[in-house]
Amino acid sequence: MSHELVELLRSVLKEELQPIHERLDRLEAGQQRLEERQQRLEERQQRLEERQQRLEERQQRLEEKLDHFIIETRSHFKKIEDELADHRRMFEILSHDWRNANIAIEYLNHKIGQHDLEIYQLKKRLELQETK
């Protein structure tokens, strides 16, 4: 009888423990799914961190390029300002020379007029002397 009792006890324990085993199996399966999800989340977080790092590096490169562009633009702007100042000085010199040339032309026109008058007067005198 003891063997039958042991078997009966095993059977009863097995029936009583069956829901606990099933529940443990479900818990283990749920735990496994949670661990897989956590692993996927960690992988995604790692990828996000890598992407963020690449974005930060790209931003740094863009900032450096922008700094170089600003320096280059300032340099070109300074060169253009210097050339503009040179051109302004040249225009002032040319304007001054132009005014001086106009004054000289007016003087020469006046002198030509005087010479023309003198030549005309000399011709008239010569004509008068030839007619006498």
Side-chain angles (χ1 to χ4, degrees):
M1 187 154 189
S2 127
H3 181 44
E4 289 177 1
L5 186 60
V6 169
E7 285 300 317
L8 181 64
L9 190 57
R10 277 188 183 159
S11 175
V12 169
L13 281 175
K14 190 174 183 181
E15 284 180 28
E16 290 296 320
L17 291 177
Q18 182 63 30
I20 295 172
H21 284 296
E22 290 173 359
R23 187 170 180 200
L24 282 174
D25 287 342
R26 286 193 307 273
L27 285 173
E28 286 176 353
Q31 182 68 29
Q32 181 66 30
R33 285 192 304 273
L34 284 175
E35 289 173 359
E36 290 171 358
R37 285 182 186 166
Q38 183 178 1
Q39 184 178 0
R40 285 193 305 268
L41 284 174
E42 288 173 356
E43 290 170 357
R44 286 179 184 167
Q45 182 179 2
Q46 179 65 30
R47 286 194 304 268
L48 283 174
E49 288 173 358
E50 291 170 357
R51 289 176 67 190
Q52 181 182 3
Q53 180 65 31
R54 286 193 305 268
L55 285 173
E56 289 174 358
E57 291 170 358
R58 288 175 59 195
Q59 181 182 3
Q60 180 66 30
R61 285 194 306 270
L62 286 173
E63 287 175 359
E64 290 172 2
K65 285 180 181 181
L66 181 60
D67 288 344
H68 291 167
F69 177 75
I70 289 171
I71 291 169
E72 186 176 331
T73 301
R74 285 181 182 160
S75 173
H76 286 297
F77 187 71
K78 176 68 175 140
K79 181 181 177 195
I80 289 171
E81 282 182 328
D82 292 345
E83 288 179 0
L84 180 60
D86 289 344
H87 290 160
R88 283 184 178 152
R89 282 190 296 275
M90 187 61 74
F91 280 126
E92 288 174 10
I93 291 169
L94 290 174
S95 176
H96 184 263
D97 288 350
W98 181 260
R99 279 184 297 227
N100 288 340
N102 280 337
I103 291 170
I105 289 170
E106 286 178 24
Y107 173 77
L108 291 175
N109 279 335
H110 177 70
K111 282 298 203 180
I112 289 173
Q114 285 179 343
H115 290 152
D116 282 347
L117 179 61
E118 289 174 7
I119 291 172
Y120 176 75
Q121 288 174 347
L122 288 172
K123 278 184 180 179
K124 285 298 178 183
R125 285 185 195 158
L126 283 174
E127 285 176 3
L128 284 174
Q129 282 183 357
E130 286 179 1
T131 55
K132 289 186 183 182

